[in-house]
Amino acid sequence: MMLEMLLLPYPLLGLLLLTLLGAALLGAALLSRQRAPARNKIPRAQRRREVALQQMAALAQRLREQEPGLDTKPILELPLVKLAQKLQAEELSLESVLCSYLEEALKVHQEVNCLTDFLEECEEQLQALKKLKKSERGLLYGVPMSLKDPYDCVGHDSTCGLAQFLEKPAAKDGVLVKVLKAQGAIPFVKTNIPQTLLSFDCSNPIYGQTRNPLNLKKTPGGSSGGEGALLSKGGSILGMGTDTGGSIRMPCSFCGVYGLRTSRSRLRPFPSGAELGSWWVGICSYTGIASAVKGKKSVATVAGPMARDVDSLVLCLRALLSEDMHQLDPTVPFMPFREEIYSNTRPLRIGYYESDGFSQPSPSMARAVRLTCRLLQDAGHEVIPFTIPRIEYAMQKLYTGGLFADGGATLLQKLEGDIVDPSMKALVTQLRLPDLLKCIMARILKYIEPRTAQDLEMIRGVKTPKKLWEQHTAVEEYQQEFIAKWRSLDLDVLLSPALDPAFSIGYPPKASASSSYHSLYNMLDFPAGVVPVTTVTLQDEEELAFYKGYYRDRNDRNFKEAVEGSVGLPVAVQCITLPWEEELCLRFMKEVETLTKNQKEPR
């Protein structure tokens, strides 16, 4: 359709475009001959998952036979902090808790297809935990938890949804996994992701499409979509995700759960090689987390916890920020959780915005911010309007330019011989276009689809080391500009919309510009967490009929279609702080959670 639009007014140019496109398609056809190895691996991986889930069901059965009268409902209803207390006090057995979550996770998977692997070593780990003295038990003693696919677990693949990473099991646990186990947690499943992790849908050619348990026509978001779906439906009580452009926060807002994106250097995870670059860095070690595109510096991928309340995130962060992390990975500074910041009760000075100026928010997104501001003001906090400086420059030149500084070469290399998932086809097609064609199309579309034109320009890459250094410098300068504006208003924290409600399946690649609400803070490297505060109302849905968007382009039209039919789905807000202030971010999140749970919103 885009080519037809271009060819009609420019017949000679159309001939040139078709010639160049034909050359690109010929190259793609030659590449398709390499796909046989990938297609051979995928059925084997699918059979391995079937066997693993059968082993999971068998373990659940064995554990249930030990306690035939086990009632799982009271266990599954316990919040994490209470569950951890009962496990420490031996009021609940490790077997009963693990059995409860094994059974529930299998039920959720049957409904939404969220699991990729069963970590059978959890049974052996449970037996080892039972031998510990009380003084040796960690903060997460006996807590079953789920992990996003790229977290390395010894003997298991970390696929990132890519066939190239199949049949390459991890030789050892990643650093984060080791720390969690040292704290007594029992990782028992790995969860689904989109191919390459560069999408906020949740689909790949190996394990298929994960659906949102709150509405099966909707996506759970991505790239930590399997985690969001499993947590939302109660199949896990604590999970670990990763975040490059909202990959923790979008699934949490789409599925109505809580998540935190940490600062890059406070949890730094993964050199393993299953995602897309040096995306992985954060408050924990990224050693042992796979990536499809390693080497990126100006757009950070970080690790972070996902859970069903703020207290669970706090407990997880207390456990992670231990001396174990620094000992296992000396590049991560030893900076324990600062209780005095989290427990402080002084009123906050809170900046807020309803729109970032790049993507018009849905009616429910804007209403959620207004509602939260009113509650915060009534509680004695001060709220101050805030505007994002130079948002187009930040999102297109800095974020997109940083993400594809290599012109997408690393990503395309990881996809060689693979089947490209529908959620990735549009991006991969653009990246595979000859550079001249990208340049020509960008110049033409500048007057028709300016955001698409700028994206085409940015995915051409920076070309030279000098340009790459200039790009890194531009990111640093923008970060300082943003911080200066923050400090000029003497802000403690910032409140913004989270991207929601959940998109209909298939729409994330068609309305990707709307991810600006989350991806900005990856480029800035600010801690950011999401808290569900309300649900989509019938009035929100009625107001959506008048949605036009700021650019009135295809992205705006697709966004409107993507969020239609969402009455009753969760709507969250985003809580943001300056780098290294995770404790303050969690304190702000807890305040929002408490106020919204205690209030009765007027009809």
Side-chain angles (χ1 to χ4, degrees), residues 392-410:
E392 286 187 352
Y393 170 77
M395 292 313 308
Q396 297 184 312
K397 293 276 189 181
L398 301 183
Y399 179 78
T400 303
L403 198 62
F404 297 104
D406 67 342
T410 305

Side-chain angles (χ1 to χ4, degrees), residues 17-31 429 432-434 437:
L17 291 177
L18 285 175
T19 302
L20 291 170
L21 184 59
L25 291 174
L26 178 60
L30 292 173
L31 279 174
T429 298
R432 283 177 173 167
L433 291 173
L437 183 54

Side-chain angles (χ1 to χ4, degrees), residues 7 43 49 95 153-154 203 294 320 328 330 367 380 388 409 467 500 530 551:
L7 300 185
R49 177 171 72 161
E95 290 87 351
C153 296
V154 62
S203 173
K294 294 190 172 182
L320 287 172
L328 289 165
R367 180 176 60 80
I388 304 296
K467 292 288 185 183
D500 43 44
V530 293
Y551 293 80

Side-chain angles (χ1 to χ4, degrees), residues 418-436:
D418 209 338
I419 299 167
V420 178
D421 191 79
S423 65
M424 289 297 297
K425 277 186 177 176
L427 173 61
V428 171
T429 298
Q430 287 182 330
L431 291 174
R432 283 177 173 167
L433 291 173
D435 191 64
L436 177 60

Side-chain angles (χ1 to χ4, degrees), residues 189-249:
V189 287
K190 296 181 81 170
T191 54
N192 204 21
I193 34 73
Q195 187 178 42
T196 75
L197 312 187
L198 274 183
S199 169
F200 59 98
D201 204 339
C202 192
S203 173
N204 63 75
I206 306 168
Y207 303 116
Q209 174 77 52
T210 299
R211 297 180 179 273
N212 191 317
L214 305 178
N215 182 332
L216 297 179
K217 295 180 181 179
K218 300 285 187 176
T219 175
S223 59
S224 308
E227 283 297 316
L230 187 63
L231 286 160
S232 177
K233 201 67 174 176
S236 177
I237 196 167
L238 177 65
M240 289 297 297
T242 59
D243 195 308
T244 303
S247 293
I248 286 172
R249 290 160 287 156

Side-chain angles (χ1 to χ4, degrees), residues 353-354 361-376 495-498 500 531-536 540 570-574 592 596 601:
Y353 59 92
E354 291 183 26
S362 67
S364 58
M365 289 166 64
R367 180 176 60 80
V369 172
R370 292 194 299 270
L371 165 67
T372 307
C373 280
R374 175 174 60 80
L375 294 172
L376 289 164
L495 177 74
S496 88
D500 43 44
V531 179
V533 297
T534 185
T535 56
V536 179
D540 293 330
V571 182
V573 292
Q574 188 171 208
V592 172
T596 52
E601 189 177 344

Side-chain angles (χ1 to χ4, degrees), residues 21 27 29 36 99 117 137 193 219 227-228 281 295 299 412 419 447 472 480 498 513 540 544 549 559 567 577:
L21 184 59
C99 177
D117 203 355
R137 296 173 182 175
I193 34 73
T219 175
E227 283 297 316
V281 265
V299 178
L412 293 178
I419 299 167
Y447 305 100
H472 290 168
Q480 291 305 312
D540 293 330
L544 185 63
F559 175 77
V567 173
T577 56

